[in-house]
Amino acid sequence: MKKERKWLCGILAAVILGNMTGCAEQISGKTTVNRILAEEPYINVILGEGYHQQEVRFDLKNDRAVIPKDVQWGMHSYRNGTEVGISYGESEGCEIYDSDPEVNPELYEESYLDSIRELKLNVSDIRKNNYNIKVVKKKQLEAFEQELALMSGVVIKGEYELTGVNIEFDRRFRPVKKTFRLQALDESQMHEEKKDEKKCIQEFGYNIGKVRFQTSYRDVEKKIQKEWKKILEAEKTEALLPYRNQ
Protein backbone atom coordinates (compact mmCIF):
# COMPACT_ATOMS: atom_id res chain seq x y z
CA MET A 1 0.00 0.00 0.00
CA LYS A 2 2.81 2.38 0.92
CA LYS A 3 4.70 1.55 -2.30
CA GLU A 4 1.53 2.15 -4.31
CA ARG A 5 1.00 5.52 -2.60
CA LYS A 6 4.61 6.55 -3.27
CA TRP A 7 4.20 5.50 -6.89
CA LEU A 8 1.03 7.58 -7.28
CA CYS A 9 2.69 10.58 -5.58
CA GLY A 10 5.62 10.27 -7.97
CA ILE A 11 3.31 10.30 -10.99
CA LEU A 12 1.41 13.30 -9.61
CA ALA A 13 4.65 15.22 -8.98
CA ALA A 14 5.87 14.44 -12.49
CA VAL A 15 2.58 15.64 -14.00
CA ILE A 16 2.66 18.90 -12.00
CA LEU A 17 6.30 19.53 -12.88
CA GLY A 18 5.60 18.69 -16.50
CA ASN A 19 2.68 21.12 -16.59
CA MET A 20 4.78 23.89 -15.02
CA THR A 21 7.65 23.27 -17.43
CA GLY A 22 5.24 23.10 -20.34
CA CYS A 23 3.63 26.41 -19.38
CA ALA A 24 7.05 28.03 -19.07
CA GLU A 25 8.11 26.71 -22.47
CA GLN A 26 4.91 28.00 -24.08
CA ILE A 27 5.57 31.60 -23.02
CA SER A 28 6.96 33.53 -25.96
CA GLY A 29 10.56 34.69 -25.65
CA LYS A 30 9.41 38.19 -26.59
CA THR A 31 7.09 38.43 -23.56
CA THR A 32 8.43 41.04 -21.17
CA VAL A 33 9.02 40.51 -17.46
CA ASN A 34 7.15 43.79 -16.91
CA ARG A 35 4.05 42.32 -18.53
CA ILE A 36 4.32 39.15 -16.41
CA LEU A 37 4.60 41.24 -13.23
CA ALA A 38 1.60 43.36 -14.28
CA GLU A 39 -0.56 40.21 -14.26
CA GLU A 40 0.30 39.27 -10.66
CA PRO A 41 -2.53 40.04 -8.19
CA TYR A 42 -0.52 39.62 -4.96
CA ILE A 43 3.17 39.87 -4.10
CA ASN A 44 4.97 39.71 -0.78
CA VAL A 45 8.52 40.93 -0.19
CA ILE A 46 10.77 39.49 2.53
CA LEU A 47 13.61 41.83 3.46
CA GLY A 48 16.96 41.61 5.21
CA GLU A 49 17.89 43.42 8.41
CA GLY A 50 19.10 46.51 6.54
CA TYR A 51 15.49 47.55 5.93
CA HIS A 52 12.97 49.17 8.24
CA GLN A 53 10.58 46.22 8.07
CA GLN A 54 10.84 42.48 7.59
CA GLU A 55 7.92 41.85 5.24
CA VAL A 56 5.45 43.78 3.10
CA ARG A 57 2.44 42.27 1.32
CA PHE A 58 0.86 43.88 -1.73
CA ASP A 59 -2.60 43.67 -3.28
CA LEU A 60 -1.60 45.09 -6.67
CA LYS A 61 -5.04 45.17 -8.30
CA ASN A 62 -6.56 47.22 -5.45
CA ASP A 63 -3.46 49.36 -4.74
CA ARG A 64 -3.05 48.24 -1.14
CA ALA A 65 -0.17 47.16 1.09
CA VAL A 66 0.28 45.87 4.62
CA ILE A 67 3.17 45.17 6.98
CA PRO A 68 1.78 42.26 9.06
CA LYS A 69 1.48 42.36 12.84
CA ASP A 70 3.80 39.42 13.41
CA VAL A 71 6.91 40.80 11.67
CA GLN A 72 10.11 40.68 13.73
CA TRP A 73 10.84 44.37 13.36
CA GLY A 74 9.26 47.47 11.85
CA MET A 75 6.02 49.31 12.50
CA HIS A 76 2.62 47.81 11.77
CA SER A 77 1.42 49.74 8.73
CA TYR A 78 -1.11 49.62 5.91
CA ARG A 79 -1.82 51.58 2.77
CA ASN A 80 -5.09 51.84 0.85
CA GLY A 81 -4.51 54.04 -2.19
CA THR A 82 -3.03 57.18 -0.70
CA GLU A 83 -4.34 56.64 2.84
CA VAL A 84 -1.65 55.33 5.16
CA GLY A 85 -1.99 54.11 8.73
CA ILE A 86 1.08 53.59 10.90
CA SER A 87 1.10 52.19 14.43
CA TYR A 88 3.90 53.05 16.82
CA GLY A 89 2.60 50.69 19.51
CA GLU A 90 -0.04 51.08 22.22
CA SER A 91 2.07 53.46 24.31
CA GLU A 92 3.24 55.63 21.43
CA GLY A 93 0.04 56.02 19.41
CA CYS A 94 -0.38 56.02 15.66
CA GLU A 95 -0.93 58.22 12.61
CA ILE A 96 -3.40 58.09 9.73
CA TYR A 97 -2.81 60.44 6.83
CA ASP A 98 -2.50 60.80 3.05
CA SER A 99 0.90 59.72 1.82
CA ASP A 100 2.93 59.08 -1.34
CA PRO A 101 5.93 56.92 -2.38
CA GLU A 102 8.44 59.54 -1.24
CA VAL A 103 7.11 59.60 2.35
CA ASN A 104 6.42 55.87 2.80
CA PRO A 105 8.35 54.10 0.02
CA GLU A 106 8.24 50.77 1.89
CA LEU A 107 4.48 50.56 1.23
CA TYR A 108 4.75 50.92 -2.57
CA GLU A 109 5.72 47.91 -4.69
CA GLU A 110 7.50 50.11 -7.23
CA SER A 111 10.15 50.79 -4.57
CA TYR A 112 11.28 47.17 -4.93
CA LEU A 113 10.38 46.37 -8.54
CA ASP A 114 10.99 49.50 -10.62
CA SER A 115 14.76 48.89 -10.62
CA ILE A 116 14.01 45.51 -12.25
CA ARG A 117 11.42 46.99 -14.62
CA GLU A 118 13.96 49.51 -15.90
CA LEU A 119 16.09 46.64 -17.23
CA LYS A 120 13.29 45.87 -19.74
CA LEU A 121 14.02 42.15 -19.67
CA ASN A 122 12.08 39.61 -21.67
CA VAL A 123 11.60 35.84 -21.34
CA SER A 124 14.39 35.01 -23.80
CA ASP A 125 16.85 37.04 -21.65
CA ILE A 126 15.89 34.97 -18.59
CA ARG A 127 16.13 31.63 -20.39
CA LYS A 128 19.46 32.52 -22.00
CA ASN A 129 20.96 33.40 -18.61
CA ASN A 130 19.64 30.29 -16.85
CA TYR A 131 17.09 32.28 -14.78
CA ASN A 132 19.80 34.39 -13.13
CA ILE A 133 20.47 37.92 -14.36
CA LYS A 134 23.67 39.69 -13.31
CA VAL A 135 23.55 43.48 -13.54
CA VAL A 136 27.00 45.09 -13.73
CA LYS A 137 26.69 48.07 -16.09
CA LYS A 138 27.16 51.37 -14.27
CA LYS A 139 24.13 53.03 -15.90
CA GLN A 140 21.84 50.14 -15.00
CA LEU A 141 23.15 49.99 -11.44
CA GLU A 142 22.12 53.61 -10.80
CA ALA A 143 18.47 52.66 -10.25
CA PHE A 144 19.48 49.95 -7.74
CA GLU A 145 21.79 52.41 -5.97
CA GLN A 146 18.95 54.90 -5.58
CA GLU A 147 16.68 52.15 -4.31
CA LEU A 148 19.17 51.08 -1.64
CA ALA A 149 19.75 54.66 -0.51
CA LEU A 150 16.00 55.21 -0.17
CA MET A 151 14.96 51.87 1.32
CA SER A 152 17.74 50.51 3.51
CA GLY A 153 19.71 51.60 6.53
CA VAL A 154 22.91 50.30 4.93
CA VAL A 155 25.14 53.25 4.02
CA ILE A 156 26.25 53.04 0.39
CA LYS A 157 27.73 56.41 -0.58
CA GLY A 158 31.05 57.00 1.12
CA GLU A 159 31.18 53.45 2.54
CA TYR A 160 30.63 51.10 -0.40
CA GLU A 161 30.48 50.95 -4.16
CA LEU A 162 27.65 48.89 -5.66
CA THR A 163 29.47 46.60 -8.10
CA GLY A 164 26.61 44.36 -9.16
CA VAL A 165 23.14 42.99 -8.53
CA ASN A 166 22.06 39.35 -8.98
CA ILE A 167 18.38 38.74 -9.76
CA GLU A 168 17.05 35.18 -9.62
CA PHE A 169 13.85 34.27 -11.48
CA ASP A 170 11.44 31.36 -11.10
CA ARG A 171 10.26 29.15 -13.97
CA ARG A 172 7.41 31.57 -14.63
CA PHE A 173 9.94 34.35 -15.22
CA ARG A 174 9.14 36.29 -12.07
CA PRO A 175 11.90 37.72 -9.85
CA VAL A 176 12.26 35.73 -6.63
CA LYS A 177 15.49 37.07 -5.14
CA LYS A 178 17.60 40.20 -5.46
CA THR A 179 21.15 40.29 -4.04
CA PHE A 180 23.38 43.37 -3.99
CA ARG A 181 27.17 43.08 -4.39
CA LEU A 182 29.09 45.66 -2.37
CA GLN A 183 32.73 46.67 -2.38
CA ALA A 184 34.14 48.58 0.58
CA LEU A 185 35.91 51.83 -0.29
CA ASP A 186 38.00 51.56 2.87
CA GLU A 187 40.13 48.39 3.06
CA SER A 188 39.64 48.22 6.82
CA GLN A 189 35.88 47.70 6.22
CA MET A 190 36.26 44.86 3.72
CA HIS A 191 35.25 42.23 6.29
CA GLU A 192 31.86 43.97 6.66
CA GLU A 193 30.89 43.59 2.98
CA LYS A 194 29.30 40.15 3.23
CA LYS A 195 27.38 41.06 6.39
CA ASP A 196 25.89 44.16 4.77
CA GLU A 197 25.19 42.34 1.49
CA LYS A 198 23.10 39.86 3.48
CA LYS A 199 21.19 42.72 5.12
CA CYS A 200 20.20 44.04 1.68
CA ILE A 201 18.71 40.82 0.26
CA GLN A 202 15.13 40.96 -1.04
CA GLU A 203 12.99 37.87 -1.67
CA PHE A 204 9.69 37.89 -3.56
CA GLY A 205 6.74 35.51 -3.14
CA TYR A 206 3.56 35.17 -5.22
CA ASN A 207 1.48 32.65 -3.29
CA ILE A 208 0.04 34.74 -0.43
CA GLY A 209 -3.42 34.88 -2.05
CA LYS A 210 -6.49 36.95 -1.29
CA VAL A 211 -7.38 35.32 2.05
CA ARG A 212 -3.94 35.71 3.62
CA PHE A 213 -3.65 39.29 2.42
CA GLN A 214 -7.14 40.24 3.61
CA THR A 215 -6.54 38.67 7.03
CA SER A 216 -3.24 40.53 7.51
CA TYR A 217 -4.74 43.78 6.27
CA ARG A 218 -7.83 43.62 8.50
CA ASP A 219 -5.77 42.74 11.60
CA VAL A 220 -3.45 45.72 11.16
CA GLU A 221 -6.19 48.14 10.09
CA LYS A 222 -8.35 47.27 13.14
CA LYS A 223 -5.41 47.69 15.51
CA ILE A 224 -4.49 51.09 14.09
CA GLN A 225 -8.11 52.30 13.91
CA LYS A 226 -8.55 51.33 17.58
CA GLU A 227 -5.45 53.28 18.60
CA TRP A 228 -6.50 56.24 16.44
CA LYS A 229 -9.92 56.34 18.12
CA LYS A 230 -8.27 56.46 21.56
CA ILE A 231 -6.06 59.37 20.47
CA LEU A 232 -9.02 61.35 19.11
CA GLU A 233 -11.03 60.77 22.30
CA ALA A 234 -8.08 61.86 24.47
CA GLU A 235 -7.60 65.03 22.37
CA LYS A 236 -11.32 65.81 22.61
CA THR A 237 -11.26 65.37 26.41
CA GLU A 238 -8.18 67.58 26.70
CA ALA A 239 -9.79 70.30 24.60
CA LEU A 240 -12.86 70.33 26.89
CA LEU A 241 -10.87 70.56 30.16
CA PRO A 242 -10.59 74.39 30.28
CA TYR A 243 -14.37 74.71 29.96
CA ARG A 244 -15.02 72.09 32.67
CA ASN A 245 -12.75 73.94 35.10
CA GLN A 246 -14.61 77.26 34.72
Side-chain angles (χ1 to χ4, degrees), residues 173-203:
F173 309 100
R174 304 170 301 185
V176 290
K177 189 174 183 179
K178 190 196 297 178
T179 309
F180 298 84
R181 300 301 175 201
L182 306 175
Q183 182 176 321
L185 298 176
D186 184 344
E187 288 187 7
S188 65
Q189 294 297 314
M190 287 178 68
H191 62 284
E192 297 294 328
E193 287 173 4
K194 296 302 177 188
K195 288 183 186 176
D196 282 340
E197 282 178 1
K198 191 175 180 182
K199 289 179 183 178
C200 295
I201 287 173
Q202 300 173 11
E203 294 182 87

Side-chain angles (χ1 to χ4, degrees), residues 110-123:
E110 55 260 41
S111 299
Y112 311 95
L113 292 173
D114 272 3
S115 54
I116 296 175
R117 290 190 180 105
E118 286 189 25
L119 297 175
K120 295 182 170 58
L121 298 167
N122 58 35
V123 164

